[in-house]
Structure formats: C-alpha cells, structure tokens
Amino acid sequence: MAKRILAIETSCDETAVAVVEDGRKVISQVVLSSMDIFKEYGGVVPEIASRKHVEYIIPCLKEALKQAGMGFEDMDAVGVTYGPGLVGALLTGVSCAKAISMAAGLPLVPVNHIEGHVCANYLTHEELKPPFICLIISGGHSHIVKVEGYSSYKLIGRTRDDAVGEVFDKVARCLGLEYPGGPNVEKLAVEGKPVYEFPRALKGQKDFDFSFSGLKTAVINKLHNMEQAGESYNPADVASSFQKNVCNVLSENAIRACNYCDLPVLAICGGVSCNGAIRDRFVKECKKNGIKLYLPDKKWCTDNAAMIGSAAYYHFIEGKTAGLDLNAQPALKLC
Ligand code: KG4
Ligand code: ZN
C-alpha cells in the first residue's frame, strides 16, 4: 500500500504544503511566498516572515488537500521541517503539524530542511538511490555530503563562512538588483563577459571546504574602486565574472569529492542549483570526468514542501517519528 505524507515547510519565507506518495510522487503542492514583501527590505525580516506564515499556513493546507482531493484520513503521517531556519517561521509549521498529528492521530515526522533539498532529487529522478555525492547550495548552506543511505549523510566539505546563495544576494544588492538576488544576477550575467579575475579562495586546497566571503569582498571592492575612480564599467561583466568564479569553485570541489570518495555519481540541490550557468557547467564537467549527474527539476530547487514529504517518507518507513514535544531547532545540522 502506498504511504502518503502530508508535508509542511515554513523555515524561511515560503509557506508550503504538499502531499507526497512513497517519497517520490507529488500528488499536490502549494507554495505561498512572502518574498515580494522583502524586496523593499533587501532581505527577509524574520518577524514579518513569521507573521506571514501564520496568515498563510491554513489556506495553504486547505488548498493542498483540495488539489489532492484528499483529507487527513487519506494520510499516513505528517512531515514537517523543524530546522534549520528562522525560529518563529519554523514554529508555525511545527505547531501546525503537531495540531494535525494530535487531531487526526497521524504520526509526526520531523525533517531537516537541508535533507529536504537533497531529496528534491528523488522527486525528479525515479532511479536515483544512495550512495551518491550531493552538493547542497542554498541561501543558508553550502555543503558537499556523501549520501550513504536514505537519511544517512557524511559531511565531506562545507563553507567556512558565507553560503553561496547569501553571496549571490549580497552581490546583487551591490549591483542594485532586487531581492532575491540570485535569479537577477543570473539574468544580468547573460548580457556580460567574465572580464574580471576575482581571487579563488583556498587555492591548492586538499580538503573540500568552500570560502565565499573573500569573493564577496573582492566584488564589492572592485565596484567601489571603479566608482571612486569614475571608471565606467558594465555591471553585467561584473555579474558574469562573479558567477564564473562560483562555477569554477563549486564544480572543482564537487568533482574532486566524487573522485576522493570513488563515487562517480553526483547530485546538486538547493535554491542556487536553479542557476542555468551552474547547471551547464556541471553538465560539461561531469561529462568530461565520467561522472553521472543528477539535476533536480528547477521547481524543486527552491524551498517547497514536496521535498520535505520525500525526506519524511524515508524517516517514516524507518520508524523515525517524534512526540508532541517536538520543538523547532534553528541551528539544526545535517551531519
Ligand atoms: O534553497 P533556497 O530556496 O532557500 C534556502 O534554504 O536558503 O535558496 C534561496 C537562495 C537565495 O539566496 C537565492 O538568491 C538563490 O537561492 N537562488 C539563486 C537562483 N535562484 C535562487 N542563485 C543563483 N541563481 C539562481 N537562478
Ligand atoms: Zn532551502
């Protein structure tokens, strides 16, 4: 019998509910985003995001069940993101999931948001199974992990400072682009050429860590210096040069990690994996290096509840459920 998960995601600025079957098949999925509100502030304001989740969660839940043509009685469990993320935002989803669990008698399955991103690949690629190497590139995280099993991860590398999405957003802001910066930097970069050479952090490294804060500072300084000197420049060239540097670092480290682990299967995930230039670079480099590449469908790259439903399924069948004392864990780690 198919197992159905009602999944809830509220870790940042997207309120999302989905119904997912057997960890792979999305029956329905609804996302209400408060992102547009944050354009004015240049980033997420946690208090506003939390209040928006409270406003959106019930309509979102009703719509997801309506689209599925199902009720609580058709579900086997309720899965919810309990970290990492903004505490007030997470608490909205956790409280809602606990209420459903209690009222409908459904087991409660806590999910790590970062693990959800990894599982976005299961929604796209039916045949994908662990083990594989996964590069997680989101607004809050930049990790390389070895996916040893469903819900079993080994950390291979991580950013020592900023996450790659965070740097896209910061560079976008300095270029006068709106939040969220990543998609806007990508659009602008298409019109430019990578004429500027920004420094490559951790050059000659033996490990698999990332460092993006130096790159961020180099881009900001370059813009500042050119403006001070009254030099004319094409912002699209800056965007393109920055993006090329990111492509170099991400692909080099991920491919080295595959070789180091002797595991020529690589998946990427997280909001930044929407980026066309990054996707194209991985296609090219993986082909060159004999690595089988899995890219999630773009609609599952940014925050959504379907990926949480997939992760929850694998925990649920392993009996990893929680009690009603489940709390939000803003700094939760994957491994
Ligand atoms: O995974 P996600 O939706 O949320 C987190 O868990 O953080 O990632 C959001 C991040 C933002 O920093 C956003 O600018 C970035 O993903 N992003 C992109 C693109 N689309 C979203 N970065 C580069 N290129 C894109 N096309
Ligand atoms: Zn995310």
Side-chain angles (χ1 to χ4, degrees):
M1 265 278 273
K3 295 269 180 265
R4 263 180 231 127
I5 308 282
L6 177 64
I8 300 174
E9 155 64 39
T10 62
S11 66
C12 190
D13 55 356
E14 265 94 25
T15 315
V17 180
V19 175
V20 180
E21 214 169 81
D22 291 338
R24 302 271 176 168
K25 188 173 166 202
V26 183
I27 307 293
S28 72
Q29 111 98 8
V30 178
V31 181
L32 289 179
S33 180
S34 54
M35 199 181 278
D36 282 349
I37 298 167
F38 301 120
K39 285 193 163 84
E40 180 182 338
Y41 302 95
V44 179
V45 182
E47 181 61 25
I48 299 176
S50 308
R51 286 169 193 266
K52 284 290 154 191
H53 285 307
V54 173
E55 194 182 319
Y56 292 162
I57 188 79
I58 300 300
C60 211
L61 176 64
K62 283 186 174 164
E63 184 59 25
L65 288 171
K66 188 175 151 202
Q67 285 184 14
M70 293 173 188
F72 293 146
E73 66 283 4
D74 301 302
M75 303 298 138
D76 292 281
V78 54
V80 64
T81 303
Y82 75 115
L86 305 168
V87 67
L90 289 165
L91 278 169
T92 315
V94 169
S95 307
C96 179
K98 288 204 273 192
I100 295 168
S101 168
M102 192 167 84
L106 291 172
L108 180 65
V109 186
V111 174
N112 181 313
H113 179 81
I114 311 171
E115 180 175 19
H117 277 302
V118 176
C119 294
N121 279 288
Y122 300 141
L123 302 173
T124 311
H125 307 287
E126 220 177 297
E127 75 285 7
L128 177 64
K129 288 188 175 77
F132 58 93
I133 302 296
C134 191
L135 171 73
I136 306 159
I137 38 176
S138 71
H141 301 88
S142 304
H143 286 354
I144 298 177
V145 297
K146 182 177 178 193
V147 184
E148 297 183 316
Y150 295 109
S151 75
S152 165
Y153 303 88
K154 187 175 163 200
L155 186 68
I156 306 291
R158 61 177 303 162
T159 181
R160 295 187 189 175
D161 37 58
D162 298 353
V164 62
E166 208 177 330
V167 178
F168 262 99
D169 293 338
K170 193 63 193 267
V171 166
R173 209 159 146 183
C174 295
L175 288 168
L177 304 170
E178 272 188 339
Y179 175 84
N184 292 325
V185 170
E186 182 185 355
K187 258 183 243 150
L188 184 63
V190 172
E191 296 160 23
K193 290 204 168 56
V195 296
Y196 302 107
E197 192 76 40
F198 292 120
R200 158 78 156 92
L202 309 174
K203 222 173 177 172
Q205 66 183 129
K206 297 269 182 296
D207 63 20
F208 305 94
D209 282 354
F210 298 108
S211 170
F212 292 109
S213 77
L215 172 62
K216 176 182 73 182
T217 309
V219 176
I220 295 170
N221 286 347
K222 182 78 194 166
L223 287 169
H224 185 72
N225 292 342
M226 289 191 294
E227 273 155 26
Q228 290 274 304
E231 244 176 77
S232 72
Y233 66 91
N234 180 0
D237 290 342
V238 177
S240 169
S241 309
F242 159 72
Q243 195 172 258
K244 185 181 167 196
N245 186 301
V246 170
C247 288
N248 291 345
V249 176
L250 293 178
S251 60
E252 277 170 35
N253 277 12
I255 285 168
R256 274 194 312 113
C258 287
N259 292 335
Y260 171 79
C261 297
D262 200 15
L263 185 49
V265 187
L266 175 68
I268 69 173
C269 66
V272 182
S273 65
C274 274
N275 184 289
I278 294 175
R279 292 168 82 98
D280 291 349
R281 175 66 77 84
F282 271 89
V283 169
K284 197 171 128 202
E285 296 298 331
C286 286
K287 197 170 170 201
K288 206 159 86 190
N289 288 278
I291 291 168
K292 171 91 181 124
L293 175 69
Y294 289 95
L295 294 169
D297 191 319
K298 286 191 181 181
K299 69 174 177 287
W300 307 131
C301 288
T302 45
D303 290 351
N304 65 84
M307 66 185 198
I308 303 303
S310 174
Y313 167 78
Y314 291 104
H315 287 287
F316 177 59
I317 59 172
E318 288 177 16
K320 292 179 183 160
T321 57
L324 291 176
D325 56 349
L326 178 70
N327 204 354
Q329 288 192 30
L332 184 67
K333 294 208 168 1
L334 179 63
C335 47

